[in-house]
Amino acid sequence: MPNHYKDPALYINRELSWLQFNTRVLRQAQDESLPLFERLKFLAIYGTNLDEFYMIRVAGLKKLFSAGVNVSGADRFTPLHQLREIREYLHKEQEVVEHCLQGIMKELEKEGIFFKSYKEVTPQQRQTLDRYFMENIYPVVIPIAIDATHPFPHLNNLGFGQIVKLRDKDDAAIERYGLIRIPRVLPRFVDINNRIYVPIGSIVAEHIQDLFPGYELIKFAAFRVTRNADIAIEEEEADDFMEILEEGLKLRKKGELVRLELSVHADDDLLNFFNRHANVYKDDIYRFQTYLNLGSLWQVVGNKDFAHLTSPSFKPRNLPPLGSDENLYATLDKQDLLLFHPFESFEPVVRLIQIAAKDPDVVSIRMTLYRSGSNSPIVNALINAAESGKQVTVMVELRARFDEENNLHWAKALENAGAHVIYGITGFKVHAKAALITRRVDGKLKQYAHIGTGNYNPSTATIYTDISYMTSNDAITHDLTRFFHFLTGFSKKGKLHELYMAPTQIKPKILSLIQNETRMGSEGVIIAKMNALVDEDIIKALYKASQAGVKIELIIRGICCLRPGIPGVSDNIRVISIIGKYLEHARIYYFKHAAPQTYIASADWMPRNLLRRIELLTPISGEEVSNKLIQILQLQSSDNMLAYELQNDGSYLKIKHDAGNLIDSHKIVETHTNKLYNSVKKQTPNYVQQLTTRLFKES
């Protein structure tokens, strides 16, 4: 048994753990019990996840390597070691991905959906495609000759197109190379009658002579490039790389190409021509039999003519005491509310802001906005509130990766309406999700709060599992007032009393909660649910707790650097990951001997969340709301349909189940929510409460 916690064998590498997570997404695509479009959807998610991983994490590792930095995490892997492992893993997995896609495409043919190249369709369908080319593709596609007078162009990140080799029709001895850039405004597939999907590249290839008159095509290959994601690299996922690099190192030129994807018929001649200019490292070149952009499969998944090929959608419900006509203020005066999205509707959260915007007694509304989405009803309500003279303060995080444009648009609209908008805090990203409404009641001020684990985005609230906590508890609302004062003013000693705020309070609190359970030895119990566990100090504290006999259940969707099952170190720790219909996003923590026992948070247990962001950890103390969180954790811990268990070697195994005891936590909560919703119409609220408790206990 290691006598200290510095042994690198105790830790799983962060990047390799992420790759395992994406493999679990791929496993969903391979699951033949799922509807075909559902499987296709998981392939699309796998592909977009991988794009992001390459342009941020791999790009970051390449920068560290080229700058000669050997700093590594607790596992002591150098950047070069990690790059080698990543490339080897992905080249192996690519065969699995292609085999999976080909299998799904074969099954789709039985349903009347076909993927065909231009050459494979009927003469009549070709005429349709020819017309489509002249009307839609020809005006926007960009043919580029490359020679002494035409330099190699700048290719945008995730840019797609074709490499071509051409022959002069008048002089067969003259051969030229060129590129065709296919802009992102064009769809990846041209669909004929919503049934036949023709890759745009195969249509372009048939019209080379229209693009390069006087030349004929010798050969061509599709390409797609991935760049270091410029602005994005400096944010979020890569901020740990940036911190290391900024220690006196100048950043190399931004945006170099970090990956090249090619269609399988790209021979060495075409590759060498391209790479003379692009200079992509050989192991970052991937050749595909199928399609270069798996994310483009969303186009097919969105085909409404084949809705029967998707999982049945679930309608989020309002459960008692919430209905369509209840007074939210009156409800919150009597009790706290805890909503489990997407099973319970996000609508009450939107409505709370909308009611406040119109209520003449409301004095002020304060909110943090991280990702609000486009055409946000919440932002529209805030604009109305500001225009009607209410004091509206909004903290808009402009650096929410890939949502920058949306957020800038909303921030300007809010400012124009008269709201006070704060654009982030120097050196920190504001990731907390909180809203505070101040209302005048009988001459006094009364406050109502919403604190969440997810964003104020009604569309993602239907696919992410998250927790919403709504309260008028004075201790919490007063603390939130202090929190918003810290955001808008200056404070060197920002400390909350009831809530806990990162970067100063959350990590010490989590460590003390773990230590408290450690003191309880084999009586201690910790159940924690989050998206990622990376922080070394917390991992060490969990190892110590395990050694003391504490039973630890971790439900971690993505990265987990803790290694369970090490004899004498972590044999009391079990780690599972749930991948299913909904994206697990809630952060819920339970400590048996704490008071209160349950907490929700906007933060994962990662250095970036705990040290470089403004986050909130909220104790949940009411018996009813606390029990609901415990039931959610217990249900997920016993899931044997969607759960994978982390093994000692860093791999994940699907949990085995026996036919008589199937626990799919997503399905169970859907079913129970519907049962409760339907029983409301027939039974008393007391019956509903009993039913909820019974159903969760049974599960």
Side-chain angles (χ1 to χ4, degrees):
M1 180 190 97
N3 55 4
H4 55 75
Y5 296 98
K6 285 201 163 74
D7 185 345
L10 296 180
Y11 303 92
I12 295 170
N13 176 262
R14 179 205 154 117
E15 315 308 341
L16 301 185
S17 179
W18 184 90
L19 288 173
Q20 286 280 349
F21 157 66
N22 213 29
T23 297
R24 295 195 291 285
V25 174
L26 176 59
R27 294 253 184 92
Q28 293 296 108
Q30 293 171 284
D31 183 347
E32 291 177 10
S33 72
L34 291 177
L36 288 169
F37 273 13
E38 203 65 15
R39 295 175 63 193
L40 213 52
K41 180 185 88 177
F42 279 109
L43 263 188
I45 294 169
Y46 171 89
T48 45
N49 283 351
L50 194 53
D51 288 347
E52 208 170 293
F53 178 74
Y54 236 97
M55 64 194 184
I56 291 167
R57 301 304 303 179
V58 175
L61 287 168
K62 290 180 99 161
K63 280 199 158 179
L64 293 186
F65 172 67
S66 60
V69 176
N70 259 341
V71 174
S72 57
D75 55 84
R76 309 314 294 160
F77 279 20
T78 64
L80 182 60
H81 186 167
Q82 292 176 71
L83 286 167
R84 282 179 179 152
E85 295 262 357
I86 288 165
R87 289 159 175 154
E88 188 184 343
Y89 189 102
L90 290 175
H91 279 289
K92 271 188 200 154
E93 191 161 83
Q94 189 189 328
E95 290 172 32
V96 182
V97 173
E98 299 230 82
H99 183 258
C100 176
L101 178 55
Q102 284 160 341
I104 294 171
M105 282 168 17
K106 216 169 261 173
E107 290 299 309
L108 283 171
E109 287 181 6
K110 297 174 189 170
E111 299 287 344
I113 296 174
F114 300 89
F115 290 83
K116 294 186 173 184
S117 71
Y118 180 95
K119 283 187 162 66
E120 293 171 318
V121 299
T122 66
Q124 195 182 353
Q125 288 166 341
R126 283 184 200 179
Q127 284 179 353
T128 305
L129 294 175
D130 292 341
R131 198 163 52 250
Y132 184 91
F133 175 83
M134 293 317 296
E135 290 172 6
N136 298 285
I137 300 175
Y138 185 75
V140 292
V141 79
I142 307 160
I144 303 164
I146 294 170
D147 55 27
T149 57
H150 297 87
F152 196 82
H154 173 85
L155 299 169
N156 293 336
N157 186 25
L158 304 182
F160 170 77
Q162 287 178 322
I163 312 166
V164 293
K165 188 174 187 181
L166 308 165
R167 182 179 289 119
D168 190 319
K169 281 185 177 174
D170 299 328
D171 183 348
I174 298 176
E175 293 180 350
R176 309 276 300 273
Y177 292 98
L179 293 182
I180 301 166
R181 279 170 64 175
I182 301 175
R184 272 199 243 181
V185 293
L186 293 168
R188 277 291 165 264
F189 299 101
V190 175
D191 64 85
I192 303 173
N193 305 327
N194 268 357
R195 287 184 170 270
I196 299 172
Y197 288 89
V198 183
I200 196 165
S202 81
I203 303 168
V204 171
E206 294 300 325
H207 292 85
I208 291 293
Q209 298 191 24
D210 295 312
L211 295 169
F212 295 97
Y215 287 86
E216 61 185 4
L217 182 65
I218 301 174
K219 56 189 170 185
F220 77 97
F223 75 87
R224 184 170 178 256
V225 294
T226 309
R227 288 187 172 279
N228 172 334
D230 290 350
I231 300 169
I233 179 87
E234 295 171 31
E235 299 310 330
E236 201 159 307
E237 287 287 355
D239 59 7
D240 47 359
F241 291 144
M242 296 305 294
E243 218 183 19
I244 297 164
L245 278 167
E246 278 165 4
E247 288 169 8
L249 286 164
K250 288 274 177 261
L251 292 183
R252 298 293 168 97
K253 69 175 189 299
K254 285 185 183 176
E256 68 265 3
L257 295 179
V258 292
R259 178 179 62 166
L260 171 62
E261 294 165 283
L262 293 169
S263 57
V264 73
H265 43 278
D267 61 11
D268 287 347
D269 173 33
L270 289 178
L271 170 60
N272 292 338
F273 151 70
F274 189 92
N275 226 11
R276 273 200 300 279
H277 305 279
N279 198 23
V280 181
Y281 182 65
K282 65 178 172 42
D283 289 341
D284 291 317
I285 298 169
Y286 296 81
R287 294 174 193 256
F288 284 82
Q289 303 267 1
T290 52
Y291 303 113
L292 302 188
N293 180 4
L294 290 173
S296 62
L297 296 170
W298 282 113
Q299 186 186 339
V300 184
V301 175
N303 186 336
K304 296 285 183 275
D305 291 359
F306 293 88
H308 63 285
L309 297 180
T310 58
S311 287
S313 61
F314 176 79
K315 187 177 189 314
R317 303 297 194 181
N318 278 331
L319 298 181
L322 293 172
S324 53
D325 52 356
E326 93 292 347
N327 179 328
L328 265 174
Y329 296 135
T331 303
L332 292 174
D333 285 338
K334 287 197 287 253
Q335 66 185 98
D336 289 353
L337 292 177
L338 191 121
L339 309 179
F340 187 22
H341 309 304
F343 313 102
E344 291 174 78
S345 176
F346 191 70
E347 180 270 337
V349 180
V350 176
R351 189 154 37 103
L352 185 70
I353 306 300
Q354 289 173 331
I355 291 167
K358 290 180 191 151
D359 182 352
D361 293 327
V362 165
V363 182
S364 77
I365 306 173
R366 301 177 192 197
M367 273 189 91
T368 58
L369 287 183
Y370 189 67
R371 293 184 199 281
S372 53
S374 53
N375 196 21
S376 162
I378 286 178
V379 180
N380 285 324
L382 292 172
I383 290 169
N384 295 339
E387 284 171 344
S388 68
K390 290 181 171 55
Q391 185 195 50
V392 175
T393 306
V394 186
M395 162 74 237
V396 177
E397 182 49 77
L398 289 181
R399 297 167 305 168
R401 181 159 38 102
F402 308 131
D403 249 9
E404 298 91 346
E405 226 169 293
N406 259 341
N407 287 1
L408 198 54
H409 165 74
W410 287 125
K412 284 180 178 158
L414 283 160
E415 272 187 342
N416 292 340
H420 177 54
V421 180
I422 313 148
Y423 296 98
I425 304 238
T426 313
F428 295 98
K429 188 180 280 196
V430 179
H431 194 246
K433 283 76 174 156
L436 182 65
I437 293 158
T438 306
R439 195 170 176 254
R440 205 175 288 288
V441 182
D442 301 330
K444 290 183 180 167
L445 294 181
K446 175 77 183 158
Q447 294 182 304
Y448 300 87
H450 170 270
I451 301 174
T453 63
N455 301 311
Y456 287 109
N457 185 334
S459 57
T460 56
T462 61
I463 47 174
Y464 287 31
T465 73
D466 270 308
I467 300 294
S468 273
Y469 175 56
M470 297 160 88
T471 184
S472 65
N473 175 324
D474 288 344
I476 286 182
T477 57
H478 290 170
D479 242 11
L480 266 191
T481 304
R482 289 168 63 80
F483 171 73
F484 280 106
H485 285 173
F486 296 147
L487 293 189
T488 55
F490 292 108
S491 173
K492 283 185 177 171
K493 297 181 179 144
K495 203 167 182 205
L496 303 177
H497 303 309
E498 199 69 22
L499 304 169
Y500 300 87
M501 181 171 79
T504 51
Q505 290 178 285
I506 296 183
K507 184 170 170 177
K509 177 63 180 172
I510 297 291
L511 288 171
S512 79
L513 287 164
I514 296 171
Q515 282 151 9
N516 186 46
E517 292 304 312
T518 306
R519 283 193 286 276
M520 299 299 162
S522 58
E523 293 297 304
V525 178
I526 297 169
I527 311 176
K529 172 179 170 54
M530 67 201 82
N531 300 322
L533 169 57
V534 177
D535 189 88
E536 207 178 317
D537 297 325
I538 290 180
I539 292 173
K540 286 175 188 170
L542 289 169
Y543 284 158
K544 284 178 187 165
S546 168
Q547 286 175 307
V550 178
K551 294 283 173 287
I552 302 167
E553 285 271 341
L554 301 175
I555 306 162
I556 300 173
R557 183 191 82 210
I559 300 163
C560 178
C561 296
L562 175 147
R563 199 182 285 279
I566 303 170
V569 177
S570 58
D571 29 16
N572 285 315
I573 304 177
R574 176 175 180 258
V575 182
I576 64 166
S577 168
I578 290 175
I579 307 279
K581 181 175 176 181
Y582 302 108
L583 182 79
E584 292 294 335
H585 193 251
R587 290 88 169 188
I588 310 170
Y589 313 135
Y590 165 81
F591 299 90
K592 184 180 176 185
H593 294 93
Q597 293 178 313
T598 53
Y599 299 78
I600 62 166
S602 58
D604 291 311
W605 291 354
M606 303 177 78
R608 72 161 190 241
N609 296 94
L610 301 171
L611 305 175
R612 296 191 287 280
R613 287 188 177 178
I614 309 283
E615 305 264 16
L616 282 174
L617 171 72
T618 307
I620 304 293
S621 46
E623 190 180 350
E624 203 173 303
V625 284
S626 181
N627 282 345
K628 188 168 176 178
L629 288 176
I630 294 168
Q631 288 163 352
I632 291 166
L633 290 173
Q634 286 172 337
L635 172 65
Q636 293 212 323
S637 294
S638 51
D639 190 306
N640 59 16
M641 294 293 286
L642 307 177
Y644 293 80
E645 186 166 353
L646 174 57
Q647 307 300 300
N648 195 306
D649 63 357
S651 66
Y652 284 76
L653 285 184
K654 192 100 194 244
I655 289 175
K656 288 192 169 68
H657 54 265
D658 60 70
N661 182 32
L662 305 181
I663 300 172
D664 173 332
S665 56
H666 291 175
K667 238 182 221 153
I668 284 173
V669 184
E670 278 186 353
T671 308
H672 293 179
T673 306
N674 272 338
K675 269 189 191 171
L676 287 172
Y677 179 75
N678 293 327
S679 68
V680 173
K681 293 162 186 163
K682 307 171 205 142
Q683 305 288 344
T684 63
N686 187 35
Y687 169 81
V688 174
Q689 189 48 52
Q690 289 164 0
L691 181 66
T692 318
T693 311
R694 197 180 78 235
L695 288 169
F696 270 116
K697 275 188 182 149
E698 282 170 6
S699 71

